[in-house]
Amino acid sequence: MFVRNAWYVAATQNEVVDQLLARTILNEPIVLFKNGQGEICALEDRCCHRGAPLSLGNATETGIRCGYHGMEFNREGACVAIPGQTTIPKRAKVKSYPVVSQGDYIWIWMGPAELADPAAIVNYPPDDHVNWPRAHDMLYLKASYVMVLENLMDLSHLSYLHKNSIGSSEDDSANAKMDVQRTPGGMKFLRVMRNADAPANWLKRYPTGKKIDRWADFEYVAPSTVLQFSGGVNAGEYDAGVRSGGHLIRTLHTVTPETEKSCFYFFNKADGYAKFEDPGKPRTWASTTDVFKEDAFMLEQQQLRLENFDTSQLLDINTDVARVQMIRALKERLRQEQESLQA
Ligand code: FES
Ligand SMILES: [Fe+2]
């Protein structure tokens, strides 16, 4: 079961320029496109005539034309033309979805349209390309979106899965200090490692020494978004209030379920250190995707293992403290939505 009353990222802006994009979201086939007036449209990707995918048709001035027998629909999903007849039956329509362009993304509302409030869309990372230049990417995973969120809640995995790139030592991880709190919209945690080993990737790029203080300040916004503020400074500097001079990022992670067992993992990383660098120096954006591919591989293997398995047999350990709170917040959000439907 999914939370429906929420904004999910349907696509990046550059996925919907001239082309029709077919994408399944929360098990619903959707076609995203721009009509001739440049408006972003999101319609059910199934023609009401014979069920052909509308994404095999073409955009028109106000909407889309089915590529099978030519019926036309406007951006509200109402049929506006049927070849060979002048009468358009009332039932001739497809479902339409509220969409909003914001930041690098097209956001879609999967619940009742009258509840869609664009003000609820998260505005992160900061829209400040001078101090926080950013880049984004997406990975498609054959794994539940919940597992991607859980992965972000238990950062002890950095010392194992990412030990050659962004992880500190296993001892550093064991000594990490965690502070977890619930918020009205989810939960947040602050994880601090003092006097830890600088990760391999950081040693290559930042002037900070081999021993650092590093922090990870994460906020989970239910149902499927995580806001990350992380950094690393020389050992001893964190408690003195220093928050720049080394690794410094603000990342939006937002995961859109395709089905119960597959998802689109969008991440958008703003780099607070880049302004200290020679602008001509090539940036290391690609390494973020490489690191997240390590997560993706593990999560897909985990998904295969968990299918047809009684997950109540799984075990919580100390490092699950944030993950457990995240799952509680997600379940609460689901329960609230179900109760509001029954009221
Ligand atoms: S299936 Fe779309 S017009 Fe026939
Ligand atoms: Fe990871």
Side-chain angles (χ1 to χ4, degrees), residues 62-286:
T62 60
I64 196 167
R65 180 184 294 116
C66 181
Y68 199 4
H69 314 99
M71 281 175 70
E72 283 182 44
F73 303 87
N74 64 16
R75 79 185 291 250
E76 283 77 40
C79 179
V80 292
I82 303 178
Q85 69 184 67
T86 48
T87 309
I88 298 176
K90 272 209 180 82
R91 286 198 314 120
K93 60 182 180 198
V94 293
K95 185 174 176 182
S96 74
Y97 299 81
V99 278
V100 170
S101 289
Q102 184 177 300
D104 297 309
Y105 299 118
I106 295 162
W107 301 78
I108 191 166
W109 179 264
M110 298 299 290
E114 63 273 17
L115 298 181
D117 176 9
I121 297 173
V122 294
N123 199 358
Y124 198 87
D127 197 14
D128 173 358
H129 290 263
V130 175
N131 293 302
W132 293 92
R134 64 180 195 237
H136 59 90
D137 205 350
M138 186 268 278
L139 290 173
Y140 172 71
L141 272 78
K142 289 271 184 205
S144 159
Y145 78 104
V146 179
M147 283 169 25
V148 179
L149 297 167
E150 290 181 313
N151 167 276
L152 292 165
M153 291 294 116
D154 183 356
L155 297 181
S156 68
H157 81 268
L158 269 61
S159 296
Y160 302 89
L161 192 56
H162 310 307
K163 64 178 177 227
N164 297 322
S165 55
I166 60 167
S168 292
S169 76
E170 295 177 18
D171 281 349
D172 292 332
S173 187
N175 293 327
K177 295 283 176 283
M178 281 288 281
D179 177 40
V180 183
Q181 289 176 32
R182 288 295 293 271
T183 63
M187 50 76 67
K188 62 182 182 178
F189 72 83
L190 175 64
R191 182 175 190 260
V192 181
M193 297 160 77
R194 291 176 177 79
N195 202 32
D197 291 338
N201 280 12
W202 297 13
L203 280 170
K204 285 183 212 157
R205 185 175 178 211
Y206 308 114
T208 37
K210 286 190 175 163
K211 285 290 184 183
I212 55 160
D213 295 337
R214 61 185 295 185
W215 75 91
D217 193 346
F218 279 45
E219 180 175 358
Y220 166 64
V221 181
S224 69
T225 294
V226 175
L227 315 181
Q228 171 182 2
F229 173 45
S230 302
V233 290
N234 282 311
E237 289 182 340
Y238 180 81
D239 288 328
V242 178
R243 293 292 181 274
S244 70
H247 178 72
L248 190 66
I249 59 164
R250 292 185 184 272
T251 304
L252 169 73
H253 307 259
T254 188
V255 197
T256 303
E258 179 188 55
T259 67
E260 284 77 6
K261 297 176 184 177
S262 56
C263 64
F264 305 95
Y265 176 20
F266 297 90
F267 43 94
N268 198 324
K269 186 173 97 170
D271 190 329
Y273 181 74
K275 65 182 174 212
F276 299 113
E277 283 185 313
D278 172 0
K281 192 174 160 187
R283 299 254 167 80
T284 54
W285 303 122

